[in-house]
Amino acid sequence: MSTEFDVIVIGAGPGGYVCAIRAAQLGMKVACIEKRETLGGTCLNIGCIPSKALLQSSENFTEAAHGFAAHGIMLEGVTLDLARMQTRKTEVVTANVRGIEFLFKKNNVTWLKGAAKILGEGQVSVDDTTYHGKSIVIATGSESTPLAGIQVDEDRIVTSTGALDFPAVPGHLVVIGAGVIGLELGSVWRRLGARVTVIEYLDRIVPGIDAEIATAFQRVLTKQGIVFKLGQKVTGATLTDAGVTLTMEPAKGGTATTLEADRVLLAIGRRPHTEGLGLAAAGIATDARGRVVTDAHFATNVPGIYAIGDVIAGPMLAHKAEDEGVALAEMLAGQKPHINYDAIPSVIYTWPEVAAVGATEEDLKAGGVAYTVGKFPFTANGRARAMGSIEGFVKILADAQTDRLLGAHILGPDAGGLIAECVTALEFGASAEDIARICHAHPTLSEAVKEAALAVEGRALHI
Ligand code: FAD
Ligand code: NAI
């Protein structure tokens, strides 16, 4: 097998595999090195895809058990077959990772199995073989951030990986961290019958999300039975015969308390995954948080070595990693692609969902930007009423002088789908009035976006 390539990508997650495919499409000879047994990275194997499979299954279970009666559909004796649900999740993951294998073959990307080590400019080793690449791309992703005093065993005390694989519904699941992972996976197990308590260091949930949306989101999750303990710092966890005893104290200082759990999910963020990659020996610079430092063209300080995805700065999202993979491949081919980091959407796949793009109200206040707000609740949307999903609202933020769209924030049914329109509008520099004047089909949830845009000028029609 050849050891000479135009591009060698390290890591086959959404950043790496997409970069490899795009580079191959552009005529380059490409290899992608992956140390996991399967392609697809965190996202396909232990992240986006398995979590969404379980979110869908658990939502279906909740609907069947509690939601159908309101529609006059009477089901009796709805029971959970968790083993079948987990098998389905695995089938979904397997189909997806096989899909990447197919795409690699179709595009002539060479899949090199094993852990890569960068030897220096243009050289990477896997086991005892040295490969040469004109360009090397670091796309090694991220891993769960540890917490002092908490020993993860992926059984009683787990990261997201363990929480995707519980063999039985925990009696009491305690989640450390009210971020995206904590609330998505907390929702899964709550829906399947667990008592769920979420402990958060800050005095609010989902930092980074517009505060008004976050407050409403917390209210909805609380109604669903999730208990929040905010402003609390977990200081230790002890395994007991029955489960785990957690110790915590108020973040601002105060008396320590304990909490008993059957299982604990640690979800306080993710950190760059660069262990064993040989960054220091190769002289590749990292920042204080361990992220590989790159310029606007994804170049590290070492010529010919680039980095993309979770391992560099920016939101740790699959679509951000993918877009960087495409952009880098095109740059290597001499093209001039561009990523607008102000228009990267984020979605929390709970029910209702949370979706956002652009600035939050807090961002605008901090930046001294004069803005107008338009809001529209799903209670006033006909389709949401027909669905029986009336929680939440759409919030549009526009420039007070120009009416240009600055941000959109949605808590509600299919918020993740609805945000796409706002992403397009933001990317095209649209005004709130542009959205308001576009014809939206009736009855659809998207009318709530149009009405929120109308509300920016105080002329919503249905409220
Ligand atoms: P990764 O997907 O982490 O892939 C990196 C790959 O590199 C891994 O397969 C790793 O094995 C390999 N690797 C590392 N070091 C080496 C080495 N030395 N040699 C060879 N291979 C190596 N994002 C979303 O946008 N939407 C979601 O719904 C979503 N859900 C998530 C749910 C969970 C539970 C988690 C944990 C994450 C989720 N994410 C989601 C985040 C998303 O998974 C990441 O942003 C994305 O996977 C980053 O892609 P990447 O290519 O940078 O890295
Ligand atoms: P996160 O950054 O979303 O949330 C971590 C939370 O833990 C924050 O609220 C933080 O204040 C809190 N925290 C930090 N230290 C703490 C401590 N000592 N005690 C208590 N709370 C503490 O991180 P999370 O949920 O682990 O997810 C990691 C990343 O994975 C996300 O930021 C996101 O980029 C990605 N992801 C994306 C998803 C999506 O797009 N739907 C789904 C899941 C993960």
Side-chain angles (χ1 to χ4, degrees), residues 233-252:
K233 176 166 74 173
V234 174
T235 50
T238 316
L239 290 181
T240 62
D241 289 345
V244 185
T245 303
L246 279 174
T247 317
M248 62 184 144
E249 58 190 45
K252 291 176 183 144

Side-chain angles (χ1 to χ4, degrees), residues 359-372 398-401 404 406:
T360 62
E361 243 188 295
E362 294 72 47
D363 293 335
L364 297 177
K365 277 183 190 142
V369 179
Y371 63 94
T372 42
D399 187 289
Q401 267 80 49
R404 187 180 171 137
L406 298 174

